[in-house]
Amino acid sequence: MADFGLYEYQEEVVQRALRGENIIIWLPTGGGKTRAAVYVAKKHLENNPGAKVAVLVNKVHLVDQHYNKEFNPYLGRDYSLVSISGDCDQKDFFGCEVKNSDLIICTAQILENALTNQEEGKHVELSQFTLLIIDECHHTHKEGVYNKIMARYVAQKLKGERRLPQILGLTASPGTGGTKSIKGAVEHVLQICANLDSVIVSSKVYAPELKKKVPRPRKRFDIVDRRPQDPFGDHLKFMMQFIHDFMALGPDFPVREFGTQEYEADVVILEKKGVTDRNRLLAQCALHLRQYNDALLINDTVRMVDAFRVLESYYSTKSSTTMDGTGFFLLGLYQENEVELRKLSGDARFENPKMGKLQNTLLEQFDQGGHSRGILFSKTRKSICCLYDWVSNNPALQRAGIRAAILTGAGNGINYMTQNEQKDTIRNFRLGSLNLLISTSVAEEGLDIPECNLVVRYGLLTNEIAQQQASGRARASDSVYSVVAQAGGREVRRELLNECLEDLTGRAIGEVQRMEPREFQMKITDLQTEALLTRHLAEQLKIKKRSRFNAATVQLSCRGCFLPVALGNDIKVIENAHHVNINPDFERYYKTGGQPALKTFEDWEPGRVISCAACGRQWGMEMIYKKIALLPILAIENFAMETPEGRKLAKKWKNVEFTVEEFNFSTYCHNKFPNMLD
């Protein structure tokens, strides 16, 4: 293995995989799990004629990283490799690509789609692969896509199917599953092993070498005192209390502290109650209170002006022409206080002290004239956009040569990135033309930048897995891992708890590894059988739930103004994903807006954003299907459902209690254009 460049601890952990066993490799971030997997793949292809390997990742940017940095340099000369993600054309012919390639690197969702798609050229079976490499395999649980794939694997295994691929999982930490006891942590590790049908291995003999080769960054807490005065935040709280007085909730609704996640949970429940009770005053006030609470959270995280801009942007979209009395009250309250809020947000005497501490932390690393590279992690897309604006307009940070960019998850909307934008940003960071990424959790896992010497966690409360992943992004020697937080704040307490949970994870893995093979296998089989039965029962309950009501008896009302706009049988589903209203009369209930930032797909392209004509609540967007059918795609979370058993809400279409039929394009065309085929 010396010619391959493996360290002895890597050689140690791959031995059982080389013998064809299913294993999970547990090595710390930066320990070379992927390089070890490349070696296993190479030996597997050499020793098994006709072998076929799939490498599954959970984030788009890891497809290119694994292909360009690991698999192609070592295997590309002798084998046919292909990388496939959601923004490339090969995904539409995944089955053909699998037939023509020795090794495929793709996002797990692409494989899951191909397993369920029965169309020729797109469908694949698990039995076509001889080795599945699953990156960040601790995500193989609950309803995650990894676990959907492995659930098929386990079901086939329990039925006696022998033509199944070998499994190689990679993880820096399986975590404790939310438990704080050794018993619960052991059960969680066993469940991950059962889900992956694998044993978990780590370095024992060469652990000292591993510790030497993978040094941990220097961790420090950059603590600031609580803001002594906060007149801007106090004024927001005064306005929130004014709204509460207007609602007159009474003692049955105790108010938790404004500006907290707990209060946000309260107003979410309040809005749902308002909708289900047909109490528009309650529902509207709850929506506005959530905006004020968001502003308080932002005020606590970044600048006062950022918090003010959130409210300013929200109320700039409100039109008095479509309002009832409650709407007038809420809009008037903001307008009466807007000037005072603007004035307070610009008073530098009361600025968030965390911003000054963050500035000093960044300058300490970047003001040395070297080639520093860092990642600044924050919780939400809003907060990282605010931080980017602050960095870009901060003279001291600009003089220090900081060249920053945002990195968020792929998606639709103003604060999301396209997959190509993600790739470009990561490439520029890797090349050094950018030296600071301001990121959500998308950069926590797998991003390999050896030169990165600073990781800052700012306003974050996460679990022990995310903490270890983020810490592992600092790869350079003498790296710094900084937690910028308020004295006595929850962030510091959570970081310290995560350190304990990290230790608990290691102890739990040790207990699992010390089990007798027979005992381990019995536990794994029991867990797999239980999971199979549970999934089967859950699926039966879902089928029963989806047919609880006749679609024609369910009425959809706008969640914003409660106006009835559609019936359940107006809704059809396209490609098991897009729920559209095919009733031609529906268009009189909505107005159209701007164009969403979406590309054109194989069978459809995006149209315009649609919203309620009466109240302005956004409902979804139009789709142009097969260049002929203009159909409104609806998000069910924007509607209330009137059923024979009362008003109900659903976050996703899979939760509705009536059957949505498949869209029939031929029938639609015949009804829409009756003379077309004459």
Side-chain angles (χ1 to χ4, degrees), residues 24-25 32-35 37 54-59 61-63 65-66 71 105-106 108 132-140 145-146 167-172 196 445-447 469 473:
I24 299 166
I25 293 178
K33 297 180 291 295
T34 309
R35 183 65 52 84
V55 181
L56 306 182
V57 300
N58 64 325
K59 289 189 170 70
H61 65 260
L62 297 180
V63 174
Q65 177 174 295
H66 285 352
F71 285 91
I105 305 173
C106 65
L132 280 187
I133 299 173
I134 303 179
D135 192 34
E136 310 293 356
C137 69
H138 50 272
H139 292 296
T140 312
V145 63
Y146 281 162
I167 302 297
L168 175 61
L170 310 174
T171 185
L196 287 155
E445 291 185 335
L447 188 60
Q469 295 280 8
R473 303 283 69 82

Side-chain angles (χ1 to χ4, degrees), residues 165-274:
Q166 179 186 351
I167 302 297
L168 175 61
L170 310 174
T171 185
S173 174
T176 65
T179 185
K180 296 174 186 174
S181 70
I182 185 65
K183 181 176 181 290
V186 167
E187 290 173 354
H188 173 71
V189 172
L190 282 170
Q191 187 65 64
I192 294 292
C193 290
N195 293 346
L196 287 155
D197 196 42
S198 300
V199 298
I200 186 165
V201 301
S202 57
S203 178
K204 303 292 186 186
V205 177
Y206 296 102
E209 179 198 39
L210 171 61
K211 193 172 182 179
K212 183 179 177 182
K213 294 292 183 185
V214 190
R216 302 195 69 160
R218 178 166 47 92
K219 184 173 185 176
R220 72 186 199 197
F221 291 96
D222 291 319
I223 304 300
V224 297
D225 292 330
R226 182 182 291 271
R227 186 185 290 177
Q229 290 180 279
D230 184 15
F232 176 77
D234 290 343
H235 199 85
L236 291 177
K237 292 175 183 177
F238 161 76
M239 295 170 70
M240 294 170 75
Q241 188 59 55
F242 203 80
I243 296 173
H244 272 271
D245 293 343
F246 177 76
M247 289 191 293
L249 290 174
D252 292 340
F253 288 90
V255 178
R256 289 195 274 187
E257 184 182 356
F258 295 156
T260 63
Q261 298 291 346
E262 290 79 12
Y263 179 79
E264 180 177 324
D266 289 345
V267 293
V268 168
I269 293 170
L270 205 59
E271 189 270 342
K272 289 180 180 177
K273 178 174 174 55

Side-chain angles (χ1 to χ4, degrees), residues 6 44 206 275 354 379 404 488 645 649:
L6 293 189
H44 182 85
Y206 296 102
V275 174
K354 283 191 239 180
K379 183 179 180 182
E645 295 180 9
L649 302 174

Side-chain angles (χ1 to χ4, degrees), residues 61 321 323-324 566 624 647:
H61 65 260
T321 58
M323 286 186 177
D324 60 6
I624 304 166
R647 180 173 280 200

Side-chain angles (χ1 to χ4, degrees), residues 207-500:
E209 179 198 39
L210 171 61
K211 193 172 182 179
K212 183 179 177 182
K213 294 292 183 185
V214 190
R216 302 195 69 160
R218 178 166 47 92
K219 184 173 185 176
R220 72 186 199 197
F221 291 96
D222 291 319
I223 304 300
V224 297
D225 292 330
R226 182 182 291 271
R227 186 185 290 177
Q229 290 180 279
D230 184 15
F232 176 77
D234 290 343
H235 199 85
L236 291 177
K237 292 175 183 177
F238 161 76
M239 295 170 70
M240 294 170 75
Q241 188 59 55
F242 203 80
I243 296 173
H244 272 271
D245 293 343
F246 177 76
M247 289 191 293
L249 290 174
D252 292 340
F253 288 90
V255 178
R256 289 195 274 187
E257 184 182 356
F258 295 156
T260 63
Q261 298 291 346
E262 290 79 12
Y263 179 79
E264 180 177 324
D266 289 345
V267 293
V268 168
I269 293 170
L270 205 59
E271 189 270 342
K272 289 180 180 177
K273 178 174 174 55
V275 174
T276 53
D277 291 355
R278 297 175 175 81
N279 185 336
R280 193 164 180 228
L281 183 151
L282 198 63
Q284 284 190 82
C285 287
L287 288 174
H288 286 249
L289 283 168
R290 186 169 184 181
Q291 293 297 320
Y292 283 104
N293 198 64
D294 279 350
L296 281 173
L297 290 169
I298 291 169
N299 180 52
D300 185 57
T301 306
V302 281
R303 300 168 297 181
M304 295 182 292
V305 69
D306 297 315
F308 173 72
R309 286 171 182 167
V310 165
L311 288 176
E312 185 180 43
S313 174
Y314 178 72
Y315 282 100
S316 69
T317 64
K318 301 299 174 186
S319 169
S320 59
T321 58
T322 59
M323 286 186 177
D324 60 6
T326 302
F328 274 117
F329 163 76
L330 293 166
L331 179 60
L333 178 65
Y334 171 76
Q335 290 175 338
E336 288 170 12
N337 289 273
E338 183 177 16
V339 172
E340 181 67 12
L341 287 173
R342 187 188 302 276
K343 176 185 171 185
L344 291 172
S345 71
D347 193 332
R349 293 176 299 166
F350 307 111
E351 193 50 274
N352 189 344
K354 283 191 239 180
M355 302 302 292
K357 180 63 73 172
L358 177 59
Q359 176 173 314
N360 292 338
T361 300
L362 293 172
L363 288 176
E364 186 179 321
Q365 203 69 26
F366 283 94
D367 213 11
Q368 300 172 2
H371 300 284
S372 289
R373 250 172 271 185
I375 305 177
L376 170 57
F377 287 105
S378 194
K379 183 179 180 182
T380 66
R381 293 180 178 89
K382 281 182 183 175
S383 64
I384 68 168
C385 289
C386 296
L387 286 167
Y388 173 74
D389 181 71
W390 171 71
V391 169
S392 301
N393 293 286
N394 185 301
L397 298 179
Q398 291 306 299
R399 284 195 299 270
I402 293 181
R403 302 177 299 279
I406 285 171
L407 182 64
T408 69
N412 311 319
I414 191 167
N415 290 331
Y416 288 82
M417 301 180 78
T418 66
Q419 292 176 2
N420 284 330
E421 286 172 339
Q422 276 188 342
K423 292 176 183 177
D424 290 343
T425 298
I426 292 168
R427 181 172 59 251
N428 290 332
F429 185 61
R430 199 185 303 281
L431 294 172
S433 55
L434 296 172
N435 57 14
L436 180 67
L437 289 183
I438 305 174
S439 179
T440 53
S441 60
V442 69
E444 281 177 346
E445 291 185 335
L447 188 60
D448 182 18
I449 310 292
E451 299 83 4
C452 188
N453 60 343
L454 174 67
V455 166
V456 181
R457 283 168 68 79
Y458 186 80
L460 276 177
L461 288 168
T462 56
N463 63 19
E464 71 280 10
I465 297 176
Q467 179 174 313
Q468 289 176 66
Q469 295 280 8
S471 173
R473 303 283 69 82
R475 301 285 182 86
S477 60
D478 198 27
S479 297
V480 173
Y481 173 87
S482 165
V483 179
V484 177
Q486 183 175 282
R490 293 188 299 172
E491 297 96 335
V492 174
R493 295 197 298 272
R494 184 69 217 198
E495 286 282 329
L496 296 174
L497 173 61
N498 285 341
E499 291 176 6
C500 297

Side-chain angles (χ1 to χ4, degrees), residues 62-78:
L62 297 180
V63 174
D64 284 347
Q65 177 174 295
H66 285 352
Y67 180 85
N68 293 322
K69 293 195 69 178
E70 297 288 352
F71 285 91
N72 195 51
Y74 288 96
L75 305 179
R77 188 181 64 181
D78 300 318

Side-chain angles (χ1 to χ4, degrees), residues 80-119:
S80 171
L81 277 63
V82 64
S83 63
I84 304 175
S85 58
D87 60 349
C88 65
D89 294 335
Q90 292 105 311
K91 77 176 189 303
D92 296 325
F93 302 97
F94 187 75
C96 297
E97 293 290 345
V98 169
K99 287 180 182 178
N100 298 328
S101 306
D102 300 311
L103 186 145
I104 301 94
I105 305 173
C106 65
T107 51
Q109 189 61 54
I110 286 177
L111 176 58
E112 169 66 10
N113 293 345
L115 290 168
T116 57
N117 192 330
Q118 299 302 311
E119 189 177 335

